[in-house]
Structures are given as C-alpha cells and as structure tokens.
Amino acid sequence: IFWVLALAAVMSLAVTVLLQPETLRDADRRPINLATLIGGAGVLLRDPVFMGLTLVGAFGFASFFVFIASASFVYSAQFGLSPVQFGLAFAANAIGFFAASQFAGPLGGRFGMARVMQVAALGFALATGALLLLALAGLASLPVIILLLVAGNAGLGLIIPTTMVLALDDHGDLAGLASSLGGTLQMVIGAGVTVAAGPFFDDTALPMIAAIAACAFVALGLSFWVLPRLKPATA
C-alpha cells in the first residue's frame, strides 16, 4: 500500500511541476511568508460563509472517515466477509462517491452550485436517516447497508466539490490559501468526529450508521444556515 502511495505521490509531483502552468500574472502573485499566511487565514476564519460551507463539507468528510474507520470491523465481525468480499463492499461505496462527484460540475453549471449542494445534502440525510431507522428496527441487512450507503455517498460526492467551489468564490485573491485551509479544517474535523465516535463502535453496524447519519444531518442543517447568506450571484 505504501509503495503505491509513494508512486502516486511522485507522479502527482511530476504532473504539478511539468504539466501545471502558473495561472496568476506576476502582478497578482503574493509572497509566501508567515505574515501573509496569518493575515489571509484571519480573513477566512472570520468569514461566516466560508466557514459555514467548509463545515458542511467537513461533516460530509467526517461521515466518510467514520465509515473508513469502522466498516472493516463491522463487515467482518457482524457479516463475516472475507478480505476480498470486504474490498468489494468498500469499493461499491467509494464508487458511488467518486462517480457522483464527476457530475458536480455539469449539474452546478445547469442548476447552480448552491442548489446542487442543498439537494445533495438532503439526499445524503434522507438515505442515511432511512438506513438508521432500518438498523434500529433490525432490518439493516448487508445489501440494504451497501445500497443505502452508496446512495448516501453519491450525495456526499456532490457536497464536497460544490461546497469547496462556493467557499472559494468570494476569495479569488486567496484561493490557494482558502483551498488549503478549508481542506485542512475538513480533515481535522473529520478525524475529530471519528475519534469522538470511536468509543461507541462495537463491531456492529448500528453505531457506525448512527454516526454517519448524525454527520449527514449536521451537514444538512449547516447547509440551510449558510444558503441564505450566499450572494445572489454565487447562489
């Protein structure tokens, strides 16, 4: 695994150096120093729209982190899947996420990024909420879990890119810093939620599903909060 990651990192670096040209004019480039980074981060952290959109994406990421941290134990302990079978089940959820993310741009161009984000957040919450109700009723079989998580992760695949695009929209002069800060906050919050949920994991599906659904409904609530605060042109 680590050899594959190392190869991917080297390939990414090569593409960045050799194939990705600088897009900023010389007059628009900013020096990279501590004062510039602190000043820019302060602007972003004080922007409620940027933070709201970042948090929508962060709790979406958190749900995926919860799944990554607990799915192997749930699928092997409760459902007795072999490593190969678990890999296939895990891949189904990942495919739902990445396949849906490819449609974020075309759908955003047609309906608006804010509307896509809102509908995706609603679909994400409905799918995971339905799965939680079925789990509480003892009806969450393995096919049901996989199917509804694929549906939920498809919504998540639309939430992550649209929230990032909307968060950067008002910060073109800080786009690089805004992207890195937003991504960092999402990763930190996602990891924090996973750690907080960890004591409740017991190798059964219900705690995992409950944590994922909780993340989905927090993301949905934040999307309703931030949507009226978007500028009309952005929305």
Side-chain angles (χ1 to χ4, degrees):
I1 290 173
F2 290 110
W3 280 113
V4 172
L5 292 175
L7 177 61
V10 170
M11 293 174 63
S12 298
L13 181 61
V15 169
T16 302
V17 172
L18 301 175
L19 301 179
Q20 179 63 57
E22 175 59 67
T23 57
L24 289 175
R25 299 173 301 176
D26 290 342
D28 295 328
R29 298 179 190 179
R30 291 171 174 247
I32 299 177
N33 53 51
L34 187 59
T36 301
L37 294 176
I38 292 175
V43 171
L44 296 169
L45 292 172
R46 291 191 299 270
D47 182 348
V49 173
F50 174 82
M51 291 302 299
L53 290 164
T54 298
L55 289 173
V56 173
F59 280 94
F61 259 121
S63 72
F64 207 58
F65 279 23
V66 165
F67 176 75
I68 291 172
S70 58
S72 62
F73 302 101
V74 172
Y75 286 180
S76 61
Q78 181 171 345
F79 298 107
L81 297 190
S82 68
V84 172
Q85 291 172 327
F86 166 71
L88 294 173
F90 186 93
N93 291 278
I95 289 172
F97 176 88
F98 289 110
S101 68
Q102 304 307 305
F103 294 96
L107 289 174
R110 182 172 181 179
F111 300 108
M113 287 291 179
R115 185 177 180 186
V116 172
M117 176 196 70
Q118 187 78 79
V119 172
L122 180 59
F124 182 36
L126 288 176
T128 55
L131 180 56
L132 177 58
L133 292 177
L134 290 172
L136 290 170
L139 301 175
S141 63
L142 181 61
V144 168
I145 291 174
I146 293 175
L147 180 62
L148 286 177
L149 284 181
V150 168
N153 284 330
L156 182 58
L158 296 173
I159 292 170
I160 300 300
T162 53
T163 52
M164 183 61 73
V165 169
L166 290 168
L168 299 182
D169 195 68
D170 288 337
H171 298 286
D173 56 334
L174 296 171
L177 178 60
S179 177
S180 59
L181 179 62
T184 299
L185 290 173
Q186 290 176 347
M187 294 293 177
V188 170
I189 292 171
V193 170
T194 305
V195 171
F200 301 97
F201 295 154
D202 58 2
D203 295 349
T204 64
L206 181 58
M208 177 187 76
I209 293 169
I212 291 173
C215 291
F217 278 94
V218 171
L220 178 63
L222 287 167
S223 72
F224 277 108
W225 179 85
V226 77
L227 192 62
R229 290 166 172 78
L230 294 175
K231 294 179 180 179
T234 300

